[in-house]
Amino acid sequence: MGNDNVAETAAAAATDRSVAQIEERFDLVLRARPQMDGDAGMVVKTLGTARRILVASPAYLDRNGRPANPSEISNFDVVSQLGDQQDGAAVWSVTSSAGEQARVPLSPRLVSSDLRVQHQATLHGIGIVLMPEPIVAEALRSRALEQVLSEWSAGENLIHLVYPPPRGMLPSVRSLIDHLVEHLPKAIHDTPA
């Protein structure tokens, strides 16, 4: 990866669910969490931070209007994830740039823990979604998505790699780690202004 003289292959399984890294035999995990925990005995490299922002397709917003404040989101279709469930109900907790907090009760039109499904559904006008900013950055730049309530977002997540100590590590895994450490921080922070 990045060195054309090295012919190495790494198998990758992508999932948005939480994994038991050792038990499921993952050599490398890329995580986004509010805090790092449960990684005893593992190497953890922080690559950056990313906040979750509210976005929707311009066509959806043109058809349905634009919320003026977080409480109005309850009147819109939303795409949520299983992790948005709190006490048996779907809720988004968002904070304004001024530090004001709001809990938004939801009636999701679609619930999926797969970020690709959420992203595609939002691009196709299903509703408003709360997604990591780096994932929607290109769609925002191309105007395929529009930020909703730009002064509001969910808390920042630490984005980090987690892997076992390198003794006995496959060269392809080491190469992938080196590539991600070199290139992912820039990609994470290369978001629209």
Side-chain angles (χ1 to χ4, degrees), residues 56-88:
S57 74
Y60 174 83
L61 295 170
D62 290 344
R63 279 192 318 270
N64 297 285
R66 288 162 175 77
N69 59 62
S71 65
E72 289 185 9
I73 293 173
S74 297
N75 301 321
F76 288 80
D77 294 324
V78 298
V79 177
S80 73
Q81 57 185 332
L82 293 173
D84 295 328
Q85 297 289 322
Q86 298 176 14
D87 300 322

Side-chain angles (χ1 to χ4, degrees), residues 28-49:
L28 171 68
V29 174
L30 178 65
R31 291 188 177 147
R33 293 185 176 168
Q35 60 191 28
M36 290 186 275
D37 52 24
D39 299 317
M42 304 296 269
V43 177
V44 178
K45 288 196 182 267
T46 300
L47 303 176
T49 60

Side-chain angles (χ1 to χ4, degrees), residues 22-192:
I22 300 298
E23 294 81 7
E24 295 184 54
R25 302 180 53 114
F26 282 93
D27 292 319
L28 171 68
V29 174
L30 178 65
R31 291 188 177 147
R33 293 185 176 168
Q35 60 191 28
M36 290 186 275
D37 52 24
D39 299 317
M42 304 296 269
V43 177
V44 178
K45 288 196 182 267
T46 300
L47 303 176
T49 60
R51 62 190 181 130
R52 288 176 36 187
I53 61 172
L54 298 159
V55 297
S57 74
Y60 174 83
L61 295 170
D62 290 344
R63 279 192 318 270
N64 297 285
R66 288 162 175 77
N69 59 62
S71 65
E72 289 185 9
I73 293 173
S74 297
N75 301 321
F76 288 80
D77 294 324
V78 298
V79 177
S80 73
Q81 57 185 332
L82 293 173
D84 295 328
Q85 297 289 322
Q86 298 176 14
D87 300 322
V91 175
W92 284 338
S93 296
V94 293
T95 304
S96 74
S97 55
E100 183 182 353
Q101 297 184 344
R103 284 178 45 91
V104 181
L106 309 170
S107 297
R109 183 167 174 201
L110 173 66
V111 177
S112 174
S113 290
D114 187 319
L115 292 175
R116 292 163 297 210
V117 169
Q118 292 176 32
H119 191 236
Q120 287 299 309
T122 306
L123 285 168
H124 286 93
I126 298 295
I128 299 171
V129 69
L130 184 61
M131 288 196 74
E133 192 170 13
I135 291 175
V136 297
E138 182 57 37
L140 288 169
R141 274 191 288 274
S142 69
R143 295 193 165 91
L145 291 177
E146 178 180 318
Q147 191 166 355
V148 176
L149 299 174
S150 60
E151 64 280 358
W152 292 86
S153 66
E156 286 197 340
N157 283 326
L158 295 168
I159 299 174
H160 51 279
L161 290 174
V162 182
Y163 53 92
R167 186 178 344 167
M169 180 180 288
L170 294 172
S172 58
V173 175
R174 178 78 253 168
S175 180
L176 178 59
I177 290 168
D178 292 344
H179 179 81
L180 293 173
V181 167
E182 181 179 346
H183 297 286
L184 212 49
K186 181 184 181 320
I188 291 167
H189 295 289
D190 188 19
T191 56

